[in-house]
Amino acid sequence: MLTLVTGATGQVGRRFVPRLVAQAQAGTVRVLVRDAARGERFAELGAEVVTGDLRDADALGKAVAGVDAVVNVAASFRGVPDEEAWAVNRDAAVALGRAAAAAGVRRFVQVSTGVVYGTGRGRPMTEDDEIRPGGELWGAYAESKAAAERELLALEGGMEVRVGRLPFVYGEGDPHLADSLRWAANWASAQRLQMAHHADVAQGLMRLLYAPAVNGPLYNIADDAPVTAVELHQLNGVEVPAGMYTRSDPDPWFGIMSTQKIRRDLGFRPVYPTVWSARDAGAL
């Protein structure tokens, strides 16, 4: 099976592609990158490299030609203008989906986010919950990802779309863990963050990619133990702000996802069930 991966040079993609290449047979992974020089490391691993922009129709045509499956990891995250978030997270994703369907691609794995659920439900959120993205923290990111999910799942033409919703991703030198203090410093001490190590994100996405059948298109991918704001400071070796202990958490179930479905259907078990196990293994 020839699999195209987009977003290969991002924090998730650059750690996912080597694992996918190692699992797949030689010559069965293709990456789309904007900068040929940044694609060299993937070529050295055995991946085929196509140079082009996800927002360019000609590049999409070349990227999906002869492909059996697509994993769309590409995303514009925090700190980008809303227009760019919509252009990449929704418009480019849907254009890729349409190009893939037209090229006869059989399976499309869309990498999404748990923040599409929006406000908490008083329990871990499941794939059956209605999505209602919103909130100042994430800007257009959640809304654009939710729109991409809806439009991709509505595509016609026989291509199977599967969606993996990720939490906060960390590990293997990813700066996200340190970056978390930019906003976690203003949280209540017990406020929690759902997380997943890159090894487990890759595991979850590959299970979605390779499973012969799934029970519905939506799957949460996460570890077993959300961490508190206090723990985020401890993991970063930073003193906990004194005022944190007097704050209250406005929504203690925001972003907390159930992984029962992916465990039951696809046999997912985190390599790193907690961030502390990743720390002890030297995998941060």
Side-chain angles (χ1 to χ4, degrees):
M1 178 165 86
L2 177 60
T3 301
L4 169 70
V5 181
T6 69
T9 60
Q11 297 294 347
V12 172
R14 75 180 67 171
R15 294 166 175 86
F16 171 67
V17 170
R19 288 183 165 98
L20 181 62
V21 172
Q23 175 126 344
Q25 295 179 351
T28 58
V29 177
R30 177 185 294 169
V31 296
L32 175 65
V33 297
R34 286 182 292 178
D35 183 349
R38 297 184 70 186
E40 290 178 359
R41 65 185 295 260
F42 302 118
E44 292 172 357
L45 294 172
E48 178 186 345
V49 178
V50 174
T51 304
D53 194 298
L54 190 63
R55 290 169 282 188
D56 180 79
D58 291 337
L60 290 186
K62 295 176 183 177
V64 299
V67 164
D68 300 294
V70 172
V71 182
N72 182 34
V73 185
S76 280
F77 200 36
R78 291 187 298 269
V80 302
D82 285 356
E83 294 78 9
E84 181 178 345
W86 284 103
V88 174
N89 298 334
R90 180 194 60 185
D91 299 344
V94 174
L96 175 62
R98 289 173 177 158
V105 171
R106 302 197 307 269
R107 185 168 298 162
F108 190 104
V109 178
Q110 168 69 1
V111 179
S112 191
T113 170
V115 297
V116 299
Y117 288 111
T119 54
R121 312 297 201 274
R123 52 165 173 74
M125 288 173 284
T126 74
E127 293 83 350
D128 292 330
D129 285 321
E130 177 188 5
I131 57 174
R132 47 193 191 202
E136 295 180 4
L137 176 63
W138 304 101
Y141 176 66
E143 288 91 342
S144 58
K145 279 293 193 178
E149 284 189 20
R150 287 191 293 265
E151 295 191 37
L152 287 167
L153 291 169
L155 288 177
E156 299 179 353
M159 181 177 70
E160 183 186 20
V161 177
R162 300 175 176 181
V163 178
R165 291 174 175 162
L166 306 186
F168 182 88
V169 181
Y170 75 96
E172 299 175 353
D174 187 331
H176 284 162
L177 196 59
D179 291 345
S180 70
L181 297 187
R182 296 180 184 177
W183 27 271
N186 299 313
W187 282 7
S189 60
Q191 198 161 340
R192 298 179 298 164
L193 181 66
Q194 183 85 66
M195 302 177 74
H197 190 278
H198 279 288
D200 291 312
V201 169
Q203 177 201 169
L205 293 179
M206 283 193 279
R207 288 180 184 275
L208 280 177
L209 174 63
Y210 290 126
V214 292
N215 179 25
L218 306 174
Y219 282 87
N220 298 331
I221 301 171
D223 70 14
D224 295 339
V227 296
T228 66
V230 168
E231 291 174 300
L232 287 171
H233 284 77
Q234 293 171 340
L235 287 161
N236 282 287
V238 175
E239 185 176 351
V240 178
M244 176 175 285
Y245 296 107
T246 62
R247 300 179 193 137
S248 60
D249 184 352
D251 187 355
W253 291 98
F254 178 80
I256 307 301
M257 299 188 294
S258 167
T259 58
Q260 289 186 11
K261 184 181 178 186
I262 195 169
R263 294 172 71 93
R264 180 190 66 234
D265 294 357
L266 304 183
F268 176 84
R269 299 293 185 275
V271 176
Y272 300 110
T274 73
V275 67
W276 297 105
S277 62
R279 185 204 63 173
D280 293 345
L284 295 184

